[in-house]
Amino acid sequence: MATEKELSDFLKSVERRAFKRSVYHVRDEEAALDIVQDSMMKLSEHYGDKPIDELPMLFQRILSNCTLDWFRRQKTRRALFSNMSDFESADADGEFDLLESLATNVDTRVTESAEDTTRRAQILREIEVEIEALPGRQREAFLLRYWEELDVAETAAAMGCSEGSVKTHCSRAVHALSRALKAKGIQL
């Protein structure tokens, strides 16, 4: 059974990646923050007494369900109300770095030129744009498999689909990203 400290440490460890994953899905930072907080509360309230090794999968599933619930509420809200703010463009201040949460142990400023740093930042921005352009299920499968580093079975459980569907979504996402980045002259 997870202790309070283990649960707290787990939630701290997944907070940033969960937020970014939610932002990719809902494209609204405030809504993403609400989704992550709601997911964390549900995990704590309903599954806080589970063993620590079960928490990652439970949290991923709860996060996916909370995201789907948000989309359902938005669909219902749009059906009932027409809000003028829905027609405004996204705020440019909401930019974030795709790989910001992946800290490196090496100080790259010492070993990397300004040109290389700029080039790397531009490539990361292009990758971020292409990930955002993926269809929802492909993006979710890609992020769970390659960002959250879940295996196929864990990703299928988190997404509520078959392992074959996960493989298909991931394959399509990788091919689409590869084509898009190659078209922009980016070779990884």
Side-chain angles (χ1 to χ4, degrees):
M1 302 300 157
T3 65
E4 273 188 50
K5 178 158 178 29
E6 288 175 327
L7 180 61
S8 177
D9 290 345
F10 168 75
L11 292 175
K12 285 178 188 175
S13 72
V14 298
E15 177 181 28
R16 178 170 275 179
R17 287 193 327 246
F19 173 71
K20 287 194 174 202
R21 178 178 161 209
S22 294
V23 168
Y24 275 125
H25 286 293
V26 301
R27 299 166 197 232
D28 178 349
E29 287 187 359
E30 290 179 22
L33 184 60
D34 290 342
I35 290 168
V36 171
Q37 288 176 342
D38 189 35
S39 300
M40 289 180 166
M41 291 299 296
K42 287 181 180 183
L43 180 75
S44 299
E45 290 173 3
H46 302 289
Y47 302 102
D49 59 344
K50 295 286 185 183
I52 190 72
D53 59 329
E54 291 182 20
L55 295 182
M57 282 305 302
L58 288 168
F59 181 73
Q60 293 303 325
R61 186 64 180 172
I62 291 169
L63 184 63
S64 292
N65 287 341
C66 286
T67 303
L68 289 174
D69 290 345
W70 182 86
F71 279 113
R72 288 184 192 111
R73 284 192 301 274
Q74 294 305 305
K75 184 177 178 182
T76 302
R77 188 174 136 247
R78 279 193 294 272
L80 297 174
F81 304 103
S82 177
N83 188 351
M84 291 306 286
S85 66
D86 289 343
F87 300 104
E88 295 176 358
S89 64
D91 188 21
D93 295 332
E95 292 186 27
F96 59 92
D97 183 9
L98 170 67
L99 301 176
E100 177 182 287
S101 66
L102 300 176
T104 60
N105 293 335
V106 179
D107 186 0
T108 57
R109 293 173 295 185
V110 174
T111 60
E112 187 174 60
S113 71
E115 182 181 346
D116 291 339
T117 301
T118 303
R119 186 179 313 121
R120 187 168 43 84
Q122 290 170 341
I123 290 171
L124 289 175
R125 268 187 249 118
E126 291 297 328
I127 292 170
E128 180 181 305
V129 166
E130 295 305 326
I131 288 174
E132 287 179 359
L134 290 173
R137 294 294 277 181
Q138 287 180 22
R139 183 175 52 247
E140 182 178 15
F142 179 83
L143 291 173
L144 286 171
R145 285 281 291 127
Y146 303 112
W147 191 9
E148 297 293 335
E149 298 179 353
L150 300 180
D151 64 27
V152 174
E154 292 170 331
T155 303
M159 291 178 64
C161 64
S162 70
E163 291 182 20
S165 292
V166 169
K167 291 176 185 177
T168 300
H169 290 309
C170 284
S171 175
R172 289 178 180 166
V174 168
H175 289 299
L177 288 171
S178 176
R179 278 192 308 273
L181 294 174
K182 189 174 183 178
K184 292 181 177 187
I186 298 172
Q187 298 289 347
L188 300 176

